Every structure is written in C-alpha cells, then in structure tokens.
C-alpha cells in the first residue's frame, strides 16, 4: 500500500484505539485530564498528518491544467 494510505490510518488509531488505553483522569497534563489532553493532541497531530498527505499526494504536485 502507498505511504499516504498508511498515514491516513494513523489518526484513526490515535483517536479510537489510543483512547481505549488512555481513558484515565488522574494524570493531569497542561491542566487537563489525560484523556482530554489525548484528544486535543490528536486533533493537532491529525492536521499535521493531513498536511503531509497533501504534500506527498502526486495529484497535488501537478500545476494548474489550464
């Protein structure tokens, strides 16, 4: 499979699978319960990963066809 497809799976794993293991309240990170911090962190990481996918996608490398 292409690398961009594997990169697209990472946010899913971070949100869904990672949330199953990080469903804890006791450690606070930046004043937030750990689970809340985990979701916020993956929101930002997903934006970055989608930006990398956009850059790596060969369709976006072509110039304007007009």
């Amino acid at each position: 499979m292409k690398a961009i497809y594997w990169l697209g799976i990472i946010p899913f794993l971070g949100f869904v699978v990672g949330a199953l293991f990080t469903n804890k309240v006791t450690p606070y990170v930046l004043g937030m319960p750990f689970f809340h911090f985990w979701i916020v962190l993956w929101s930002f990481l997903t934006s970055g990963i989608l930006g990398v996918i956009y850059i790596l996608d060969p369709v976006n490398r072509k110039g304007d066809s007009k």
Side-chain angles (χ1 to χ4, degrees), residues 21-42:
F21 297 106
T22 61
N23 195 7
K24 298 177 177 130
V25 176
T26 50
Y28 282 87
V29 180
L30 300 175
M32 296 181 280
F34 188 69
F35 181 72
H36 187 183
F37 170 75
W38 184 260
I39 297 301
V40 171
L41 174 72
W42 274 99

Side-chain angles (χ1 to χ4, degrees), residues 2 4 7 11-12 15 19 21-22 30-31 36 38-40 44 49-50 52-55 62:
K2 291 184 179 181
I4 56 175
L7 283 174
F12 173 77
F15 271 113
F21 297 106
T22 61
L30 300 175
H36 187 183
W38 184 260
I39 297 301
V40 171
F44 288 115
I49 290 170
L50 290 177
V52 170
I53 290 173
Y54 179 79
I55 292 170
K62 297 177 184 173

